[in-house]
Amino acid sequence: MPKRAKKNEEAVDGETGNGAEPAKKEKKGKEPEAPILYEDPPDKMTSKDGRAANMKITSWNVDGLRAWVKKNGLDWVRKEDPDVLCLQETKCAEKALPSEITNMPEYPHKYWAGSEDKEGYSGVAMLCKTEPLNVTYGIGKEEHDKEGRVITAEFPSFFLVTAYVPNASRGLVRLDYRKTWDVDFRAYLSDLDKRKPLVLCGDLNVAHQEIDLKNPKGNRKNAGFTPEEREGFTELLKAGFTDSFRELYPEQANAYTFWTYMMNARGKNVGWRLDYFLLSSALLPGLCDSKIRNTAMGSDHCPITLHLAM
């Protein structure tokens, strides 16, 4: 996600990005415009081909697992009650995981990946009610896998991949690396898709189109909205994967999943849609709904939820 340097401090995980370009200050004497908020509509629980949803997956970039737990993130998870919970940017070594989450009886099957070199950096997790057939970590390339960004679980009829995609960083210092990642990650997903259809979820660190962020004009040269990153996402779609939210809500504006902590961006809904569920084409007939739970607090991202009929 486009990282924000919190006021007077560096971003904790070292992935400083642009922060959302703030809206221009209103001229004195002019009333500020009321923010246009997104209201998550009622969940659709039936697919186009008439099947009832029977798989619920939630993804959330928690921006630090320990802080998120203290902000009662798990209370929201218990209410949402997904079959699988995927977390990104956990920033927590496995030995330091809070007992509140490691002891959760609702999810007996828990999987963690973290950075090998930097403690408190990156990291993803997957918590499952039902045990997967197999679980793997990374994408098979050392230069990427040492940062703990991907977990893949194989279930009987599909793969579930959760990812925290590298940020191009402030000044685009990691843009070349990000371009390499995009090519290698796409190849990894395409190979999986040949074996079994997949769901990809997580913080993909790109707003694909202008509709996916509040201020596109001011961010064209910033991490998360460069032409290179957007093209990388386009190539992923061309490889046979579908953005589930845009499949169902192609014209929905003001639907974001990330807001910088600065400038009251969340209150003004000056945000970015960086968190996605992508589906293999074979799973599209079973797509029921793709949700943005933008009222859930506890991170600079909100959670997203997918309903599928498998």
Side-chain angles (χ1 to χ4, degrees):
M1 45 178 250
K3 296 306 296 180
R4 66 279 148 230
K6 302 180 182 76
K7 289 181 181 178
N8 301 321
E9 64 178 85
E10 290 296 322
V12 175
D13 72 351
E15 291 202 42
T16 50
N18 52 53
E21 184 80 10
K24 292 181 180 177
K25 290 183 179 179
E26 298 287 341
K27 293 180 180 178
K28 287 184 178 179
K30 185 180 177 182
E31 285 294 318
E33 292 181 12
I36 303 173
L37 306 179
Y38 171 69
E39 291 189 14
D40 185 29
D43 293 20
K44 300 172 187 173
M45 300 302 290
T46 306
S47 64
K48 286 183 179 179
D49 60 8
R51 289 178 290 152
N54 59 2
M55 171 60 70
K56 184 177 186 180
I57 305 167
T58 292
S59 177
W60 199 347
N61 177 319
V62 294
D63 188 34
L65 183 73
R66 286 165 287 191
W68 173 78
V69 166
K70 289 178 181 177
K71 294 174 186 175
N72 302 312
L74 291 177
D75 291 346
W76 184 90
V77 169
R78 288 189 171 97
K79 291 175 185 175
E80 185 75 354
D81 193 30
D83 298 300
V84 184
L85 173 67
C86 298
L87 305 175
Q88 303 87 39
E89 206 174 356
T90 55
K91 300 182 186 177
C92 186
E94 195 165 346
K95 63 186 178 183
L97 290 167
S99 60
E100 292 93 330
I101 195 165
T102 57
N103 294 334
M104 277 187 87
E106 297 93 333
Y107 298 97
H109 311 287
K110 305 177 184 72
Y111 308 94
W112 315 92
S115 172
E116 294 176 8
D117 299 333
K118 303 179 191 175
E119 193 164 323
Y121 174 81
S122 189
V124 291
M126 188 182 293
L127 286 71
C128 309
K129 289 185 176 180
T130 303
E131 187 174 10
L133 302 175
N134 187 42
V135 174
T136 58
Y137 301 87
I139 64 174
K141 287 188 175 284
E142 173 61 24
E143 64 176 309
H144 304 313
D145 294 349
K146 63 185 179 181
E147 294 190 353
R149 295 184 175 276
V150 177
I151 297 175
T152 301
E154 180 180 1
F155 292 96
S157 57
F158 72 106
F159 287 107
L160 175 60
V161 182
T162 191
Y164 177 40
V165 169
N167 192 293
S169 298
R170 191 175 300 280
L172 304 181
V173 295
R174 290 197 96 190
L175 182 58
D176 286 343
Y177 171 67
R178 167 63 179 269
K179 288 157 66 176
T180 301
W181 161 279
D182 282 348
V183 171
D184 292 342
F185 190 45
R186 185 169 69 247
Y188 171 74
L189 295 173
S190 295
D191 285 344
L192 281 182
D193 193 39
K194 292 172 186 174
R195 297 164 51 193
K196 196 177 280 192
L198 66 84
V199 174
L200 166 64
C201 69
D203 177 359
L204 304 189
N205 253 322
V206 61
H208 184 219
Q209 304 289 4
E210 292 192 358
I211 195 174
D212 295 316
L213 73 166
K214 181 67 174 179
N215 293 315
K217 289 182 180 178
N219 282 294
R220 296 191 196 284
K221 296 181 181 179
N222 287 332
F225 199 60
T226 62
E228 294 90 341
E229 291 164 298
R230 296 171 66 193
E231 178 60 24
F233 192 91
T234 297
E235 290 299 317
L236 193 53
L237 300 184
K238 287 180 181 177
F241 304 104
T242 297
D243 175 352
S244 61
F245 184 81
R246 282 287 166 238
E247 176 72 11
L248 297 171
Y249 307 101
E251 305 298 328
Q252 178 63 61
N254 306 300
Y256 309 127
T257 65
F258 163 80
W259 306 262
T260 175
Y261 283 124
M262 297 182 291
M263 307 285 290
N264 188 29
R266 192 158 187 174
K268 297 174 184 175
N269 199 29
V270 178
W272 303 58
R273 189 171 72 97
L274 302 177
D275 303 85
Y276 297 81
F277 285 103
L278 299 191
L279 307 182
S280 295
S281 56
L283 296 178
L284 274 183
L287 173 60
C288 299
D289 212 348
S290 188
K291 312 300 296 173
I292 294 177
R293 306 299 202 198
N294 61 326
T295 60
M297 308 302 286
S299 170
D300 51 2
H301 289 247
C302 73
I304 56 175
T305 289
L306 181 73
H307 291 294
L308 276 179
M310 301 300 298

